[in-house]
Amino acid sequence: PMPDFSRSFVPKHDHSRLTEPQPFALRSDRRGAEKEKEFASRVEKQLKEEEKARHYQANPIRHSLDMNHSSSSSSYTQQPLTETKPFNLQSDVRHEVFQSQFHERVTQELDDESSRFSSFHARKAPRTTSDREGVFAPQRSSKPLTEVQNFEMNVDRRTRQRAAFDQVLAEKEAGLEARRRDAEERRMEEEQRETREMRKSMVVKANPIPSSVYNASFEVHRSTKPLTEPTSPELRVSTRGGRTAAR
């Protein structure tokens, strides 16, 4: 039969067959909770120790009298205070001697300078023109006058030396170039000569027939050798035939 497509299919749900999950407890969850509690207690303990270490309190300084009383209270006697005495060092004595000598030397130098400046004497006035004999009169020099001569600078001298050196170098290079060109020309001529000789030697020329061949009289003579006599070969055909027949 044909299905009826006019009615739509509506599924029916069976609620009685649904799975109801039940709570369950795993050992791993219990172990995890214990581990977390243990880790939290360990972290809290470590934080307390760090906090205690940050707030450090030093012990108070004990007095020497208290220490003496604590160590031996029965045999305690008060000791007199230490009295300082001045030192008698050799360096202090040498320093005092040096200071006294230094002051004496400075005082002596100051006295000498004051006495030297206080006893100043001016020089005598020079002789004037009234005293003709004592007046300085310059005399004419007997030396000849300076003759001006042409001077030569090192730059000009080095320039001429460099020009001469360059000329010698150019001549040397020209000579080397001329010898090199002559050697090249001789080499080219030698190669051309060898090439011509080689070409001449490669041309094949037959030797001419001597004139004695044409002029000589040629006569034909009968040969004196005997004629060739044929002989029968020694074949082994008959022997092989006999062996085949015997088999």
Side-chain angles (χ1 to χ4, degrees):
M2 291 292 293
D4 189 4
F5 293 102
S6 61
R7 294 181 298 175
S8 60
F9 173 75
V10 178
K12 297 180 179 181
H13 298 283
D14 190 1
H15 297 283
S16 61
R17 295 182 181 181
L18 296 179
T19 303
E20 297 180 358
Q22 299 291 333
F24 56 91
L26 299 177
R27 293 184 178 180
S28 59
D29 296 338
R30 186 172 62 255
R31 287 197 301 270
E34 293 177 356
K35 290 291 184 182
E36 289 180 358
K37 187 182 298 183
E38 183 181 356
F39 177 73
S41 62
R42 189 167 61 251
V43 169
E44 185 178 1
K45 183 179 179 181
Q46 186 176 359
L47 291 176
K48 289 182 179 179
E49 292 178 354
E50 291 179 356
E51 185 68 21
K52 186 179 179 180
R54 283 196 293 270
H55 297 284
Y56 175 76
Q57 295 180 357
N59 295 326
I61 301 175
R62 300 179 63 184
H63 198 270
S64 59
L65 298 178
D66 298 338
M67 295 174 65
N68 294 332
H69 282 295
S70 63
S71 60
S72 58
S73 59
S74 60
S75 62
Y76 172 73
T77 56
Q78 186 175 1
Q79 299 293 333
L81 298 176
T82 304
E83 297 180 359
T84 58
K85 295 182 179 181
F87 296 98
N88 188 11
L89 300 176
Q90 295 293 331
S91 59
D92 296 338
V93 176
R94 290 195 299 271
H95 179 68
E96 293 177 359
V97 173
F98 174 77
Q99 288 291 337
S100 61
Q101 292 178 357
F102 178 73
H103 286 300
E104 291 179 359
R105 187 167 61 254
V106 170
T107 306
Q108 183 66 28
E109 290 178 358
L110 292 175
D111 294 341
D112 294 342
E113 287 183 1
S114 61
S115 62
R116 186 171 62 255
F117 288 118
S118 62
S119 60
F120 176 74
H121 298 283
R123 294 180 180 181
K124 295 181 179 181
R127 295 178 180 180
T128 58
T129 55
S130 59
D131 190 1
R132 297 291 184 179
E133 296 179 358
V135 176
F136 173 75
Q139 297 178 0
R140 186 180 295 275
S141 177
S142 59
K143 294 182 179 180
L145 298 176
T146 304
E147 296 179 1
V148 180
Q149 297 179 358
N150 295 330
F151 57 90
E152 181 182 7
M153 301 182 68
N154 291 332
V155 176
D156 301 335
R157 181 173 53 82
R158 289 197 299 271
T159 303
R160 290 195 301 273
Q161 292 178 358
R162 183 66 186 184
F165 174 75
D166 293 341
Q167 184 178 0
V168 173
L169 187 62
E171 292 177 358
K172 185 176 180 180
E173 291 180 356
L176 292 174
E177 184 65 25
R179 286 195 293 272
R180 191 183 304 110
R181 189 166 51 255
D182 295 342
E184 184 69 19
E185 292 178 357
R186 287 195 298 271
R187 187 181 63 80
M188 292 294 294
E189 292 178 357
E190 184 69 21
E191 289 181 357
Q192 292 177 2
R193 185 181 60 79
E194 291 178 356
T195 303
R196 288 194 298 270
E197 292 179 357
M198 183 181 64
R199 288 177 179 176
K200 288 181 180 180
S201 62
M202 291 176 65
V203 176
V204 179
K205 293 183 179 180
N207 294 327
I209 299 174
S211 58
S212 59
V213 175
Y214 296 100
N215 299 330
S217 58
F218 179 73
E219 295 180 0
V220 178
H221 300 282
R222 184 183 292 275
S223 176
T224 57
K225 292 182 178 180
L227 298 174
T228 302
E229 295 179 1
T231 58
S232 178
E234 295 181 1
L235 301 176
R236 302 183 66 182
V237 179
S238 58
T239 307
R240 287 199 298 272
R243 291 177 181 175
T244 303
R247 293 177 182 176

